Amino acid sequence: MTEPKRIGPEEVHQKLKSGTAILVCAYEDDAKFKKLQLQGAISLNEFKSKLASLSKDQEIVFYWAWAKEASAAGQAAKCVEMGYKNAKALLGGVEAWKRAGYPLVEEK
C-alpha cells in the first residue's frame, strides 16, 4: 500500500474555502463524526455515497482525531488504490486543525 501525502490544516482550510477539496472524517461511526466534525467536513458514509460521482482527480482529504493520522492515511490509501489520484491525510489530525484556529462544528 502506497503511503498517501499529508497536507497541513492551513492548506486544507484554503482549499475548502475555494471549493477545490473535500474534507472527510475517517470514522465509520456517525456519532464519532458528530463529536469531531471539522467545519466543512462530511461523514465517511456521506462520502461513500458520493464516491461514484467524483472525478478521479478530485482532491480528498481524510482526517482522524489523533495527531498520528494512520487511519486517515489508510482511508486515503484505499481511495488511491481505487484510482483517486489526489487522496490525502490531514497532517496532525483534529488537534492540528484546532491549533491552527479553525473551528469544529458544535454537536447539536
Side-chain angles (χ1 to χ4, degrees):
M1 188 182 298
T2 305
E3 190 66 22
K5 293 179 184 172
R6 277 21 182 216
I7 183 172
E10 295 83 4
E11 192 175 348
V12 173
H13 190 258
Q14 288 302 316
K15 290 179 180 216
L16 284 174
K17 282 174 56 176
S18 68
T20 60
I22 298 172
L23 181 60
V24 182
C25 180
Y27 285 112
E28 294 273 356
D29 183 339
D30 281 337
K32 284 184 181 178
F33 165 67
K34 288 177 182 171
K35 286 185 179 177
L36 295 167
Q37 183 179 357
L38 304 185
Q39 189 169 28
I42 62 173
S43 71
L44 188 59
N45 289 328
E46 184 179 347
F47 170 72
K48 286 178 178 178
S49 73
K50 294 180 176 194
L51 199 55
S53 65
L54 295 178
S55 161
K56 296 288 184 178
D57 294 320
Q58 173 66 54
E59 187 163 10
I60 306 160
V61 181
F62 291 91
Y63 73 90
W64 192 255
W66 296 282
K68 210 170 175 187
E69 59 277 338
S71 294
Q75 290 292 351
K78 286 179 190 175
C79 279
V80 169
E81 287 174 0
M82 291 188 302
Y84 294 88
K85 303 175 199 99
N86 231 346
K88 301 173 182 171
L90 175 63
L91 184 64
V94 172
E95 287 307 311
W97 182 265
K98 290 193 297 190
R99 276 194 310 274
Y102 304 125
L104 270 66
V105 174
E106 294 295 321
E107 193 174 0
K108 292 171 181 57

